[in-house]
Amino acid sequence: MESNFAPRRLMSLVGRFAVCAALLCATSAFADTLDERNELVHHFVTDFNANPLVADCAAHGNFIASTSAAFDHVEFPPVSFDSSHSTIEPWNDSFDEKKQRIKVDNVVTVEGQGVGKSGEKDSTPLKFRCGYVGSQMLAFGWNDPVPPLRPHAEPRSTSGKKGKHGAKTKSSSKKAAAAGKSTSSGTSSGKSAKKASKKH
């Protein structure tokens, strides 16, 4: 029994070590990303005199766009942080009417230029929108040019039965029409029979 117990214990220790190593790598990657974001915010505030909320929104937009299939990174020239290309709007309402109905105090917008992963010279105008309560970002949106994947629609049934969503198909409609004619003709013949009996 002891010979079986030792390998199991060793495998358990190896498994725990692997999990710890994976968590350490993930934590390290997250810390690196957070450091890069903080450096970018500091750069925008210090070098471009950006408002801290606008700088934070721009740094977050850069991170999100770099995870897209379309973009390598976003360039924010100094003009991105002037009043014609960035705004802080008091909101006190839901961020949007879709999935992010969370109430925010301010909505920040900032514009940048998305640089493609394929090394194209032409850049894509991007607009980022961030919702804040105090200095904490709670919602985010942008004009992502890559549409989200949608499930394929199922083909509709062409048989005489009811199709998807209970809609009648052509053949069942024809049957219903034929049934309606026979009912109405039966009703009219019944009326004429009653009239004939009254005459007698």
Side-chain angles (χ1 to χ4, degrees), residues 157-161 163 167-177:
S157 172
T158 55
S159 65
K161 299 176 183 177
K168 290 182 179 178
T169 55
K170 289 181 181 178
S171 58
S172 62
S173 299
K174 287 178 183 177
K175 287 178 185 176

Side-chain angles (χ1 to χ4, degrees), residues 57-78:
C57 185
H60 188 72
N62 180 63
F63 169 73
I64 295 296
S66 68
T67 64
S68 163
F71 302 108
D72 178 63
H73 67 280
V74 182
E75 291 182 354
F76 292 96

Side-chain angles (χ1 to χ4, degrees), residues 13 15 25 30 32 35-36 40 54 61 97 99 101-102 105 122-124 136 145 149 154 157 169 187 200:
L13 287 172
C25 289
F30 177 74
D32 289 346
D35 287 343
E36 288 173 12
L40 202 54
V54 176
E97 296 302 317
K99 290 183 180 179
R101 292 190 184 95
I102 190 163
D105 295 338
D122 293 336
S123 58
T124 304
Q136 186 178 10
L149 294 174
E154 293 179 14
S157 172
T169 55
T187 307
H200 295 293

Side-chain angles (χ1 to χ4, degrees), residues 20-95:
C20 289
L23 286 172
L24 187 63
C25 289
T27 304
S28 177
F30 177 74
D32 289 346
T33 303
L34 194 60
D35 287 343
E36 288 173 12
R37 178 177 168 160
N38 289 340
E39 286 176 14
L40 202 54
V41 170
H42 180 73
H43 165 62
F44 293 151
V45 171
T46 306
D47 299 337
F48 298 156
N49 296 321
N51 178 285
L53 289 184
V54 176
D56 185 70
C57 185
H60 188 72
N62 180 63
F63 169 73
I64 295 296
S66 68
T67 64
S68 163
F71 302 108
D72 178 63
H73 67 280
V74 182
E75 291 182 354
F76 292 96
V79 294
S80 290
F81 302 100
D82 65 24
S83 59
S84 61
H85 296 94
S86 66
T87 59
I88 300 175
E89 187 178 354
W91 202 253
N92 197 27
D93 201 355
S94 299
F95 180 72

